Amino acid sequence: MKTGLVLEGGAMRGLFTAGILDVLMEEGVTFDGTVGVSAGAAFGINFVSHQIGRPIRYNKRFAKDWRYCSVRSWLTTGDLFGAEFAYHEVPDLYDPFDNETFEQSTTEFHLVCTDVRTGMAVYKHLTQGGHVAYDWVRASASMPMVSKPVPLDGHLLLDGGVADSIPLRYFEDQGFSRNVVILTQPQGYQKKHNRLMPLMRLSLRRYPAMIEALHHRHLMYNDELAYVAEREKAGAAMVIYPSAKLPIGHISHDPDEMQRVYDIGRTTGKEKLEEIKRFTAFGRLKIED
């Protein structure tokens, strides 16, 4: 019975997830596989490379650097989060990603993107680090309307959360039958129809299937929440979420705000630590049996 870690996105709310993951790494908690969506991929990949503190460190360091995330970057490059700076210079030069540890890890790493031409999810199992891996992470985290589609493997890709926000079904299909699911919205949250759809339609007018996926995204998301709850009730999933709405927006340039959300994640991770250990240990005991 393989154990999995399923990480939804949420842009800067993902720092809550990063705080939990750092506690797990510090305590030596491991999983057979991890799947991340959007910020869940961008921050979750550091769990596989075992780089404690990396997401909060580089986000705070470059919070006010226009090359990292800004309207100026969007207007001059087409990407709110600078594609070259945020996804290549930072992991290569300023806060190096540990490609060697990532590639040698026994924990599989999967991520989710959305193909703008079909509106369907594209899943990728990354086994090698480096620039191609960085571009897959960028594609998963590229928010519609403020990002250019990323061409990879014959696809044109944007935010994986549009097509599959909480990929628990996918991971179960890959053989991970006992999963910890980390959400970035509080219990009881239900997604509503996107009020920006008129602008989305204009921005993505060349991709009608993507527009359709965005139009129905709230229905897909709420259905996935119901499935997660069903699997939790069956004992096949453990779900972790913040106790209240996280005090941060999709975008933040405030290092103190980032730290607060990260610290909420760390506190939650410590509170749930023993439960997570029991849950993952039970899965491994079933394998031995």
Side-chain angles (χ1 to χ4, degrees):
M1 185 181 295
K2 293 197 294 184
T3 59
L5 186 58
V6 180
L7 312 174
E8 83 155 320
M12 297 311 293
R13 294 198 311 272
L15 289 172
F16 167 79
T17 302
I20 295 173
L21 298 183
D22 280 356
V23 170
L24 297 183
M25 285 190 279
E26 290 165 1
E27 295 292 330
V29 178
T30 61
F31 294 82
D32 298 305
T34 301
V35 59
V37 182
S38 194
F43 300 159
I45 195 170
N46 298 280
F47 183 76
V48 183
S49 66
H50 207 270
Q51 290 181 272
I52 298 169
R54 185 171 179 269
I56 185 62
R57 186 171 61 238
Y58 69 72
N59 273 287
K60 288 175 64 175
R61 178 179 177 184
F62 297 110
K64 299 182 180 181
D65 191 316
W66 76 267
R67 298 170 298 171
Y68 185 69
C69 175
S70 67
V71 173
R72 178 179 173 184
S73 173
W74 181 31
L75 294 176
T76 57
T77 72
D79 289 293
L80 186 69
F81 283 87
E84 181 60 30
F85 182 79
Y87 290 99
H88 292 282
E89 292 184 30
V90 169
D92 271 352
L93 302 174
Y94 298 111
D95 200 322
F97 180 72
D98 189 342
N99 288 290
E100 182 178 358
T101 298
F102 174 79
E103 292 172 3
Q104 293 178 355
S105 176
T106 58
T107 300
E108 293 184 19
F109 181 72
H110 300 240
L111 54 73
V112 189
C113 304
T114 302
D115 190 317
V116 299
R117 290 181 291 211
T118 66
M120 302 297 290
V122 174
Y123 304 96
K124 182 69 174 179
H125 175 196
L126 288 178
T127 58
Q128 293 184 314
H131 287 272
V132 174
Y134 305 159
D135 278 334
W136 276 100
V137 171
R138 173 167 71 97
S140 181
S142 289
M143 295 183 289
M145 204 164 63
V146 293
S147 308
K148 295 183 296 186
V150 182
L152 286 166
D153 283 4
H155 302 283
L156 277 179
L157 303 170
L158 284 176
D159 184 359
V162 174
D164 191 353
S165 297
I166 313 170
L168 177 57
R169 286 186 179 98
Y170 163 76
F171 230 31
E172 289 180 338
D173 288 344
Q174 301 305 302
F176 298 91
S177 54
R178 195 163 178 83
N179 293 283
V180 172
V181 181
I182 301 180
L183 305 178
T184 59
Q185 295 282 14
Q187 187 177 25
Y189 171 81
Q190 290 282 288
K191 187 176 285 295
K192 298 178 181 178
H193 188 260
N194 194 330
R195 293 177 297 177
L196 297 178
M197 275 309 302
L199 293 176
M200 295 283 189
R201 292 182 187 279
L202 180 63
S203 174
L204 295 162
R205 58 190 178 277
R206 294 174 55 195
Y207 308 109
M210 185 67 168
I211 292 172
E212 189 69 10
L214 283 161
H215 179 63
H216 292 101
R217 183 183 181 186
H218 64 299
L219 301 177
M220 174 274 297
Y221 183 87
N222 294 336
D223 175 73
E224 292 192 334
L225 283 178
Y227 182 74
V228 168
E230 176 187 315
R231 299 303 289 157
E232 181 180 35
K233 186 176 181 180
M238 175 184 171
V239 186
I240 303 173
Y241 39 75
S243 60
K245 183 179 178 180
L246 293 169
I248 199 167
H250 277 75
I251 305 302
S252 176
H253 300 287
D254 184 344
D256 292 335
E257 186 177 63
M258 295 175 182
Q259 186 69 49
R260 283 193 291 272
V261 172
Y262 171 80
D263 288 342
I264 292 171
R266 286 194 61 90
T267 298
T268 303
K270 291 176 181 178
E271 291 172 349
K272 297 291 184 179
L273 181 60
E274 294 307 315
E275 186 179 352
I276 294 169
K277 286 181 176 180
R278 289 194 298 270
F279 183 84
T280 55
F282 178 82
R284 291 188 169 88
L285 284 172
K286 294 294 285 184
I287 293 175
E288 293 173 3
D289 291 345

